[in-house]
Amino acid sequence: MSEYSQIAGEGLWRNNPALVQLLGLCPLLAVSNSFVTALGLGLVTLGVLTTSNIIISLIRNLLHDVIRLPIQIMVIATSVTLADMALQAWYFELHQRIGLFVALIVTNCTLLGRAESFASRNPIVMSAVDGFMMGTGFLWVLLLLGTVREVFGMGTLFNNLHLLLGPAFENVTLHFADSGFLLLVLPPGAFLSLGCLIALKNYISGDQY
Amino acid sequence: MNPRIFTLVLLAMLCGLAVSGLNGVTREKIRDNQEQFSLLQIKQVVQDDRAVLEQVDEHRFLIKDELGENGMVFRVTTLSGYNGEIILWVATDGEGKIRGVRVIEHSETPGIGDLIERPVSDWIDQFSGVSAENSWDDDVDYVSGATITTRAVARAVQEGLAQ
């Protein structure tokens, strides 16, 4: 059991893909301007990462050095394409907003990183747990960034949540102010807030660089 | 054949099968979604639930109501915005007055240029009732801070009307 809690600790905090490995920054910075897009892309990444880890781990005995990388990329690209089509079919409005970045999950190095360094060497259940924990680690950072940037940048929270969770959530938007600190919603705000978050993480874990 | 290449080819075929399989399941649903979405946007511009739309070509629809032909809906695109293309639907009535305008796609600055979008601000509603004869410099309310964006939209609507 301690093995699994070790994996969980690595993914969620000690070796967090967004805060420590600094992988997958392109989608992270791009979609974290509101809570809903962050949640949407975070969940898709989580699903794809777990799936690709499971598949890679299933076929790990076939992964000879020469063909290892092409196969890993192929598995990742396939699962992303499947997720993209499923989103277009069943969550069309959300896809309108995050569709561009779903395709970019292929280039999210977290996926190839986990496939290469974990899933191709470990049994299926452990790889699944690793994918899930890494994905969750990515998701919570994305959500925190999305919340901070939406609250301070736009003065709202949970805007458009119904696009993801259905019409029941049409009126859950919280309004704090009529306008916000616009810079945070724009691309520079993504770098600034992620930088602050990483600094905070390093402060808490007492890392010295 | 080299067994490793065989493995690679076999896995590639499996991946291809999975993708084409899901494509078969979702293709029609996706097409329906896209059609419904663009139809919904056109309906919003026309602002008349009973009107029937008759497609002329990809970018133009005739509006027909109980009185017969009554104006049309057309799509205009402009590149004079602040950032990339702005795509609009414009609906007119029989006398050449505008029924409504909607922006369906743009990448203007969020928080500044996105006021041309309907849920964000009602700026776009001022075009309703305007016709080509109006003086566009005086009658349109441009927004400081978003001058380029608002001007691009107004000009695109004006040029679309002229055609």
Side-chain angles (χ1 to χ4, degrees):
Chain A
M1 205 56 225
S2 72
E3 233 170 11
Y4 291 110
S5 60
Q6 170 88 12
I7 295 177
E10 289 279 310
L12 295 177
W13 184 253
R14 280 191 302 278
N15 201 12
N16 186 297
L19 292 181
V20 180
Q21 304 177 54
L22 298 183
L23 293 176
L25 289 191
C26 168
L28 179 83
L29 295 170
V31 301
S32 63
N33 54 4
S34 79
F35 183 84
V36 176
T37 49
L39 180 62
L41 196 87
L43 288 177
V44 181
T45 310
L46 172 62
V48 172
L49 183 53
T50 313
T51 318
S52 74
N53 256 13
I54 293 175
I55 299 175
I56 302 271
S57 173
L58 257 177
I59 56 173
R60 69 183 184 280
N61 294 327
L62 303 173
L63 295 180
H64 188 271
D65 268 356
V66 186
I67 53 170
R68 200 183 65 224
L69 281 174
I71 287 184
Q72 285 168 355
I73 286 289
M74 199 166 63
V75 168
I76 292 169
T78 306
S79 18
V80 171
T81 313
L82 294 180
D84 190 39
M85 287 196 290
L87 268 186
Q88 270 193 61
W90 293 294
Y91 290 96
F92 185 72
E93 288 190 340
L94 182 76
H95 188 272
Q96 298 281 78
R97 296 177 151 257
I98 63 169
L100 186 64
F101 306 110
V102 171
L104 278 181
I105 295 179
V106 182
T107 65
N108 185 333
C109 309
T110 315
L111 276 80
L112 185 61
R114 291 333 285 171
E116 172 72 11
S117 65
F118 200 94
S120 58
R121 281 146 219 216
N122 288 288
I124 297 170
V125 181
M126 271 172 78
S127 300
V129 173
D130 177 73
F132 184 79
M133 286 307 168
M134 284 290 164
T136 314
F138 190 70
L139 176 68
W140 81 253
V141 174
L142 200 53
L143 281 184
L144 184 61
L145 273 183
T147 308
V148 168
R149 290 180 67 195
E150 190 179 341
V151 168
F152 291 103
M154 307 282 276
T156 61
L157 186 60
F158 306 136
N159 199 11
N160 286 327
L161 196 59
H162 62 279
L163 293 185
L164 190 63
L165 300 178
F169 290 84
E170 194 108 30
N171 295 316
V172 292
T173 308
L174 306 174
H175 290 273
F176 301 106
D178 285 338
S179 67
F181 186 43
L182 192 64
L183 179 72
L184 276 179
V185 186
L186 301 177
F191 286 97
L192 290 175
S193 29
L194 181 66
C196 294
L197 203 57
I198 293 173
L200 186 68
K201 195 271 166 198
N202 287 349
Y203 177 74
I204 294 173
S205 7
D207 292 345
Q208 302 267 321
Y209 289 108
Chain B
M1 207 194 324
N2 187 326
R4 286 165 208 155
I5 295 183
F6 183 70
T7 317
L8 182 62
V9 171
L10 192 75
L11 284 171
M13 277 166 66
L14 280 179
C15 289
L17 266 182
V19 170
S20 61
L22 190 68
N23 184 36
V25 178
T26 56
R27 191 174 43 210
E28 289 198 356
K29 179 101 178 112
I30 293 174
R31 211 184 33 227
D32 277 2
N33 280 344
Q34 277 163 345
E35 267 169 21
Q36 249 175 27
F37 185 68
S38 49
L39 212 64
L40 195 80
Q41 284 175 320
I42 297 171
K43 284 239 168 85
Q44 269 188 8
V45 185
V46 176
Q47 293 170 353
D48 180 358
D49 291 336
R50 287 160 304 165
V52 182
L53 297 172
E54 194 184 291
Q55 190 151 20
V56 183
D57 56 33
E58 207 185 323
H59 297 156
R60 281 184 302 171
F61 290 84
L62 284 175
I63 304 170
K64 290 193 167 164
D65 55 17
E66 56 266 41
L67 303 167
E69 215 170 275
N70 195 358
M72 63 187 309
V73 194
F74 54 89
R75 201 167 92 163
V76 282
T77 315
T78 175
L79 276 167
S80 345
Y82 197 68
N83 185 17
E85 267 188 336
I86 304 175
I87 303 176
L88 312 141
W89 280 105
V90 181
T92 58
D93 61 14
E95 290 139 25
K97 281 189 182 157
I98 294 177
R99 289 167 183 254
V101 181
R102 283 285 179 281
V103 174
I104 55 167
E105 215 180 295
H106 75 91
S107 7
E108 302 302 300
T109 322
I112 301 174
D114 62 354
L115 67 117
I116 55 175
E117 225 177 286
R118 185 59 182 86
V120 177
S121 125
D122 52 11
W123 180 83
I124 200 89
D125 287 343
Q126 64 173 308
F127 290 108
S128 303
V130 174
S131 74
E133 280 95 62
N134 282 66
S135 153
W136 284 68
D137 282 334
D138 298 338
D139 295 350
V140 178
D141 189 12
Y142 300 102
V143 178
S144 61
T147 320
I148 296 179
T149 305
T150 48
R151 223 168 254 270
V153 171
R155 186 129 328 148
V157 173
Q158 188 184 12
E159 277 166 14
L161 272 188
Q163 280 168 18

